[in-house]
Amino acid sequence: MVFQNPSFTRALAHDMDTGEDTARFQDRWACVASDGQTHLHPTQRGAEKRTHRAEVAEHKETRA
């Protein structure tokens, strides 16, 4: 599951109010792995790839 990182959204809203550029320090996309961990990535495609790799690894582990 890939979604926009809530920290990025909050930083972007803060930047609009203050004129600062704090959103650049946050990764824009996040994904939740099957083990429940949240991973951050700067691009949506990268987050999707990370999710896919985690699913493949879990499938291999289940088959072993």
Side-chain angles (χ1 to χ4, degrees), residues 4-40:
Q4 193 166 16
N5 181 7
S7 296
F8 176 82
T9 307
R10 284 191 297 274
L12 193 59
H14 171 79
D15 293 349
M16 288 181 189
D17 290 341
T18 64
E20 297 176 15
D21 191 17
T22 59
R24 66 188 167 104
F25 298 112
Q26 302 291 330
D27 286 326
R28 184 171 184 160
W29 297 98
C31 61
V32 178
S34 57
D35 62 358
Q37 290 185 331
T38 301
H39 302 281
L40 302 176

